[in-house]
Amino acid sequence: RIEADERRLIRQAGRPVVSSEPRPVAVADLLMNPEEAKTAHFVPLFRRSPGYRGAMDLIEEFGRPQCASVEFSSARGEGTLFARLFDAVDALEALCGPAETIDAALAGAPGSTGSVPESLEHLHGHLTANLRFADDCCAALVASDAAGSWRRRLTLIAPPGRLTITDTGSAFISAEGEHIDSHPEADLPSPGALIGMQITRLLERRDASATTLPPDTTRLLALCEAARLSGRTGQGETPARLLEMLSNP
């Protein structure tokens, strides 16, 4: 862990710092000191991938989805389940707005007896979740840190049709099945190559546009924590209520 004094020195240095883990501190600490969220950029973030950036015009044409699904997975050693979950909910909330509720389940943790760990950084295995959003929108999420290979795929469905986005390409078909537009998928870079691309863009200050704004770390961590809590309780949880509880202990 990077302690509070070290995090403060990092921020004061004014240099870009990256981390393959989404957070430096707990949600409650971020609520007390929002500056903590600026300690490091999380990489690789799907919204900064070549496929997502190349699909921005299609996303704008497509409009707000009514239904979305994400599968963000990796092999063991390519990142944590917490990192894949954070990345997935960041993509969903960027397109669907704040999630109202999340109902999650965890399986496949090494040596698991069905219990869910006390902290996000100790999550392992496979996590599924159903999310509800305002204004007639729903989503399904699958995240895993033990799926054998790297895969990030986002699918959006709405009256215009279906839009699918991966790390390297996208495809837009109408509700009648007509091909509308696509950016052919290139060879999938390794996770390390995706991280290298994003470090380069950060150093060249090419990720400061409105389409690549940093995640709302506090809000997204609350959503991840609500997913972990839902896995423990077996019931849907509300990120807004969790934030309210942490704000007023």
Side-chain angles (χ1 to χ4, degrees), residues 40-112:
H41 297 272
F42 169 67
V43 293
L45 191 70
F46 182 69
R47 289 191 299 113
R48 295 193 177 112
S49 69
Y52 192 97
R53 293 199 316 270
M56 287 309 305
D57 289 343
L58 295 180
I59 291 171
E60 186 173 347
E61 180 182 350
F62 188 82
R64 189 174 186 274
Q66 292 177 334
C67 177
S69 67
V70 291
E71 180 189 346
F72 283 25
S73 59
S74 64
R76 287 199 176 100
E78 292 182 339
T80 65
L81 179 56
F82 176 28
R84 301 290 74 77
L85 174 62
F86 181 90
D87 196 11
V89 297
D90 170 70
L92 286 175
E93 288 217 339
L95 296 164
C96 302
E100 294 186 336
T101 62
I102 183 166
D103 192 338
L106 180 70
S112 172

Side-chain angles (χ1 to χ4, degrees), residues 76 81 105-109 124-128 142-147:
R76 287 199 176 100
L81 179 56
L106 180 70
H124 295 289
H126 327 294
L127 186 143
T128 63
V142 175
S144 175
D145 65 350

